[in-house]
Amino acid sequence: MPKDSGIGASSKRREDVRFLTGKGKYTADISVKDQTFAAFARSSVAHGRINSIDIAAAEAMPGVLAVLTGEDFAEVGGNPAGWLITSRDGEPMKEPKRSPLAIGKVRHVGDAYAAVIAETAAQARDAVEALDADIEELDAIVDMSEAIANSDNLVHDEIGTNLCYDWGWIEDNKAAVDAAFESAPHVTSLELVNNRLSPNAMEPRVSIGDYDASTGDYTLHTTSQNPHVTRLLIGAFVMGIPENKLTVIAPDVGGGFGSKIYHYGEEAVVLAASKKINRPVKWVCDRSEAFVTDAHGRDHVTKIELATDKEGNFLAVRTETQANMGAYLSNFATVTPTFLHGTLMAGPYKTPHVYVNVKAVFTNTVPVDAYRGAGRPEATYSLERVIDKCARELGIDQLEIRRKNFIQPDQFPYTTPVALVYDTGDYDATLDKVAEIGDLAGFAARREASEAKGKLRGLGISTWIEACGIAPSALVGQLGARVGLFDAATVRVNATGSLAVMTGAHSHGQGHETVFAQVVAEKLGIAEEQIEIVHGDTSKIPFGMGSYGSRSLAVCGSAIVRATEKIIAKATKIAAHMMEADAADVVFENGNFTVAGTDKSKSFGDVALCAYVPHNFPHEELEPGLEESAFYDPANFTYPAGAYACEVEVDPDTGEVDVVGFAAADDFGNVINPMVVNGQVHGGVGQGIGQALMECVVHDGNGQPLTGSYMDYAMPRANDVPSYVVDHSCQTPCTHNPLGVKGCGEAGAIGSPPAVVNAVIDALQSGGINVTHVDMPVSPSRVWNAIQAAK
């Protein structure tokens, strides 16, 4: 029987009440007394030399209070990359400085080179138009291969190359991989593009900087998934503000998908401007700005090769990838195509040899960084597409080729050739489950019915694995991370027995306020309604690394569990004192403390009250109060996995693709709230279908974006996605965190793109059309052209 509260219950999301009734409070809703407004002058060319910026006319405009340019930041630091990557030859990556406002050159359309502060937003925008900037247009560098080959035209002249790094993983594997390919009975090769995406969170970015001259304190309200790291980056690297003098507050945030993990220059500018004019400064991004300033995702060009024997047993995988960094290094840009991508190229398979090469390239385009899944979708797409192609070449069923290469349950813990240690899993179980819930046995009949309507029906399979909860700190530090990847929580019990949980995770759609309360309620045996979840304010939280990489429950939730365990331990001592018993004899269960073998009992509320009314406490042994903090640094990643089945209908006359069925069977370990998990999978699959069929950022040869609005950039709507069948009953709990959870937020976006594209290829092949690959987005025009080329 389903639970109605605590761990495992589909508790309704408490935060939805304010969101659905219009009571949410987003950064744009905040107004600070005497606030002013910022507007940014942004480059209209992709590559240009700034010869001069005449600000006199803008300064004379009505309401203008200040004009800032890159020269105002020449003496401060730059926004750093969070991960140092070392090239194959041992050289560290090239890391050009990124100023809050461009200095010397603009490097992509939308690059900000000046900011105007005025009494109203309209006055600020008008004054931006009055700026006289002499920007000499230079040839743009857009294509990654040309960027690598061209040593004369550079995005960053000072580093002498457009190549950020040339990374190999694992370099010691390369000789064995090459030898396996030389002797392999069969080799499948595929060249593919993982298309560039714009994140398009529902809420555009907003920042409010507020400097208090009387104390020297700064407050930044901003749309962030990661307020503590934003504070760290601004304070330690960009502006040199002591962390105790900077508070970062991220209230309700309307979606992020990775794009709000990072520190952006606008945040530093509004803080600097606030100090300059001694008034608060607010900036609200519009959608047009978002398209050319929010960090984009994906943008890989890959050649992947799979070596097998004649029976389809995997012998080796080899990949070469060009990864677009865009014009600057965003905070997580360097790790996404390396340790978040290359280490997943083994997938859920027992492939003995794997080698991955990644060349990261600077181009005159918007910076690229982590987007939902961050490296794992790119790895999964390449691997699952080449496996599908291999199965067709060898005449092996697409399910069977995967089954025969799966790591088996009795092989865990399993060390992959790309240096991950999978602790647990059962990949056959999820494949069996997706075959069941997707009714694959009935597919042939459905294909017949589609053919009777003149449509081609295809079935695509994808089996995937990801690494979540990036950790442990000691390991990632050795691999180049410049921050620790632990997390923290404080549990504060009030005298009346209610409590507040302060967590470093930030919720922007995940349901943390509900799920974290379920965990604590289960541990303490109290009602979820008695628990408040506090997040998003660096002045209230001990520390936190934010929400991304499906880490919130596995890492932050584990810190909450540890802090709650400390609460129970201290409360047990208080209860023992109250009942005049030895603490070793006190049992805590279902919210009550009892002395074993007696009828003595105290409720959690009784103990909480006593903690704050300690009239007869043994103060030399027991402090008043009931508040505990804990830091949690995981021993390993968590490894959710799953199997997805997609069915499509293709109209051979127009190339239109319709996703008519989608089934997802996932192993997320222990599930805290099944309803929330379902929602996460639905959202991820929707985004994956969007990437597979519709979404793509396109630039012309001059670096001009051709997809700068929803007139040109196609977002999936309700009628573009099917009704999903979702299951997460195949649970193999994580062995190294106290909740046994694995993470679910990115799964749908990882497993769905290859399933969709595999289904399209299957549909075309079923109609006798010899098409082996179509790059994403698999739009009607691309499918139609592929059909015509195959005739």
Side-chain angles (χ1 to χ4, degrees):
M1 188 174 190
K3 295 181 65 176
D4 57 8
S5 64
I7 292 175
S10 289
S11 299
K12 290 184 178 179
R13 295 188 358 153
R14 59 168 72 180
E15 48 268 72
D16 285 351
V17 174
R18 69 176 185 273
F19 296 147
L20 295 175
T21 58
K23 302 298 184 182
K25 189 170 186 179
Y26 299 89
T27 307
D29 296 323
I30 297 171
S31 292
V32 183
K33 187 176 184 296
D34 293 329
Q35 74 182 12
T36 62
F37 295 86
F40 288 85
R42 300 190 181 277
S43 176
S44 61
V45 300
H47 195 194
R49 183 173 293 109
I50 303 173
N51 293 322
S52 64
I53 303 174
D54 187 343
I55 65 174
E59 285 182 316
M61 294 282 285
V64 171
L65 302 168
V67 178
L68 285 75
T69 68
E71 296 305 319
D72 291 291
F73 296 91
E75 301 303 318
V76 302
N79 190 6
W83 209 292
L84 175 66
I85 301 299
T86 301
S87 291
R88 292 188 290 170
D89 61 5
E91 286 294 312
M93 69 187 192
K94 301 295 189 290
E95 188 175 6
K97 180 179 176 180
R98 185 182 185 185
S99 172
L101 294 172
I103 300 175
K105 283 182 26 172
V106 288
R107 295 178 171 88
H108 67 88
V109 173
D111 200 2
Y113 58 85
V116 175
I117 316 302
E119 294 287 358
T120 70
Q123 288 173 333
R125 288 193 295 267
D126 287 344
V128 163
E129 298 299 319
L131 288 167
D132 184 10
D134 178 6
I135 297 177
E136 174 189 351
E137 186 171 5
L138 305 173
D139 290 339
I141 306 155
V142 180
D143 180 83
M144 286 189 282
S145 293
E146 292 179 7
I148 294 172
N150 192 337
S151 59
D152 296 323
N153 190 12
L154 302 175
V155 179
H156 296 275
D157 302 285
E158 69 274 20
I159 63 174
T161 178
N162 290 318
L163 187 65
C164 178
Y165 56 74
D166 181 353
W167 179 82
W169 191 255
I170 296 175
E171 199 64 22
D172 290 345
N173 292 354
K174 190 174 187 304
V177 170
D178 291 343
F181 272 93
E182 287 176 12
S183 61
H186 184 83
V187 174
T188 298
S189 297
L190 184 61
E191 295 186 19
L192 47 83
V193 173
N194 211 287
N195 40 320
R196 180 185 280 236
L197 303 176
S198 175
N200 285 302
M202 186 175 292
E203 178 200 18
R205 292 187 294 117
V206 183
S207 295
I208 305 170
D210 190 0
Y211 175 71
D212 186 341
S214 67
T215 63
D217 291 333
Y218 295 81
T219 300
L220 174 69
H221 290 84
T222 193
T223 46
S224 176
Q225 300 174 219
N226 213 352
H228 274 94
V229 173
T230 297
R231 183 182 70 168
L232 173 66
L233 292 170
I234 293 174
F237 297 98
V238 180
M239 296 184 67
I241 302 170
E243 282 188 87
N244 63 303
K245 289 300 199 180
L246 174 59
T247 297
V248 177
I249 300 171
D252 288 330
V253 171
F257 315 118
S259 69
K260 294 173 183 171
I261 300 173
Y262 330 114
H263 163 56
Y264 291 89
E266 291 90 353
E267 294 168 324
V269 170
V270 296
L271 288 170
S274 178
K275 183 176 183 179
K276 184 180 183 74
I277 68 171
N278 200 25
R279 287 174 62 184
V281 178
K282 183 175 186 177
W283 169 72
V284 180
C285 180
D286 64 33
R287 187 60 66 181
S288 294
E289 282 183 294
F291 269 106
V292 294
T293 62
D294 292 2
H296 290 168
R298 315 292 192 245
D299 206 353
H300 287 191
V301 176
T302 295
K303 179 182 179 182
I304 182 169
E305 299 171 285
L306 173 62
T308 68
D309 63 19
K310 293 179 180 179
E311 288 72 42
N313 294 297
F314 300 168
L315 303 176
V317 169
R318 181 169 60 193
T319 74
E320 296 178 8
T321 291
Q322 292 177 355
N324 204 334
M325 297 289 98
Y328 302 98
L329 292 182
S330 182
N331 298 140
F332 280 74
T334 55
V335 69
T336 299
T338 52
F339 293 110
L340 297 184
H341 161 255
T343 55
L344 268 297
M345 283 309 308
Y349 309 108
K350 52 192 177 190
T351 311
H353 303 291
V354 179
Y355 177 72
V356 180
N357 173 232
V358 177
K359 293 178 174 65
V361 187
F362 291 111
T363 63
N364 291 123
T365 60
V366 174
V368 177
D369 208 319
Y371 171 79
R372 197 171 191 169
R376 287 87 88 197
E378 295 91 318
T380 300
Y381 180 70
S382 299
L383 190 58
E384 290 302 298
R385 281 294 297 121
V386 79
I387 289 171
D388 207 66
K389 186 169 186 263
C390 177
R392 294 188 186 283
E393 291 173 352
L394 294 174
I396 302 174
D397 178 76
Q398 56 183 321
L399 276 73
E400 179 58 30
I401 195 171
R402 290 170 168 85
R403 286 189 196 282
K404 70 166 49 188
N405 288 286
F406 277 155
I407 301 161
Q408 294 303 304
D410 62 1
Q411 294 180 281
F412 292 101
Y414 185 89
T415 302
T416 75
V418 277
L420 294 182
V421 181
Y422 302 163
D423 62 328
T424 183
D426 189 341
Y427 311 133
D428 282 297
T430 52
L431 191 56
D432 290 342
K433 179 58 70 172
V434 85
E436 173 195 331
I437 64 176
D439 184 26
L440 301 196
F443 173 71
R446 294 191 293 276
R447 171 173 275 173
E448 260 185 56
S450 294
E451 289 173 348
K453 300 184 299 181
K455 301 291 181 68
L456 303 176
R457 196 178 189 104
L459 171 65
I461 299 296
S462 168
T463 49
W464 62 273
I465 188 170
E466 72 161 317
C468 295
I470 304 170
S473 293
L475 172 61
V476 298
Q478 293 172 17
L479 298 178
R482 288 167 164 168
V483 292
L485 288 170
F486 57 88
D487 228 289
T490 293
V491 176
R492 178 179 299 155
V493 181
N494 301 314
T496 57
S498 63
L499 56 93
V501 177
M502 280 72 80
T503 173
H506 186 281
S507 181
H508 41 280
Q510 296 89 340
H512 293 168
E513 293 172 37
T514 301
V515 175
F516 289 162
Q518 288 179 253
V519 170
V520 176
E522 177 90 6
K523 296 295 181 183
L524 295 180
I526 63 176
E528 295 167 20
E529 294 74 21
Q530 291 182 263
I531 302 164
E532 178 191 12
I533 305 300
V534 180
H535 63 92
D537 186 336
T538 61
S539 67
K540 297 178 180 178
I541 316 301
F543 195 79
M545 292 304 299
S547 295
Y548 50 87
S550 299
R551 71 188 301 273
S552 297
L553 194 55
V555 184
C556 306
S558 293
I560 290 171
V561 170
R562 294 288 186 245
T564 304
E565 289 171 345
K566 290 182 178 181
I567 289 289
I568 293 171
K570 182 174 181 182
T572 298
K573 294 178 183 178
I574 297 172
H577 164 70
M578 294 171 69
M579 295 184 287
E580 300 180 331
D582 191 301
D585 295 328
V586 175
V587 178
F588 180 61
E589 190 174 9
N590 296 325
N592 290 293
F593 298 87
T594 58
V595 179
T598 75
D599 60 356
K600 292 183 177 180
S601 178
K602 294 291 182 183
S603 70
F604 183 79
D606 294 335
V607 173
L609 181 61
C610 183
Y612 290 95
V613 189
H615 288 168
N616 61 346
F617 258 36
H619 291 286
E620 67 282 358
E621 301 172 13
L622 199 58
E623 293 180 352
L626 196 52
E627 177 177 323
E628 297 289 345
S629 295
F631 286 73
Y632 179 77
D633 200 334
N636 192 1
F637 301 100
T638 68
Y639 299 100
Y644 288 2
C646 175
E647 291 187 32
V648 302
E649 282 187 338
V650 178
D651 185 334
D653 295 327
T654 65
E656 182 180 3
V657 177
D658 185 16
V659 179
V660 293
F662 202 101
D666 297 299
D667 174 7
F668 296 133
N670 292 334
V671 171
I672 305 301
N673 186 314
M675 181 187 67
V676 168
V677 170
N678 285 346
Q680 287 286 303
V681 175
H682 285 197
V685 171
Q687 285 186 273
I689 290 173
Q691 176 176 11
L693 298 183
M694 308 174 73
E695 297 184 51
C696 188
V697 173
V698 180
H699 296 88
D700 69 10
N702 295 316
Q704 290 292 329
L706 304 180
T707 48
S709 76
Y710 292 138
M711 295 293 289
D712 314 295
Y713 187 94
M715 292 280 284
R717 297 173 294 184
N719 62 346
D720 296 310
V721 297
S723 177
Y724 314 116
V725 182
V726 173
D727 179 272
H728 37 75
S729 63
C730 302
Q731 299 175 6
T732 60
C734 176
T735 59
H736 56 78
N737 69 54
L739 290 168
V741 297
K742 292 185 175 182
C744 69
E746 299 164 299
I750 293 170
S752 55
V756 174
V757 178
N758 287 345
V760 172
I761 300 303
D762 185 59
L764 298 177
Q765 294 270 338
S766 75
I769 303 168
N770 188 26
V771 173
T772 60
H773 182 67
V774 180
D775 271 325
M776 299 187 293
V778 186
S779 61
S781 62
R782 288 186 174 187
V783 175
W784 188 87
N785 284 327
I787 292 171
Q788 304 314 304
K791 287 182 178 180

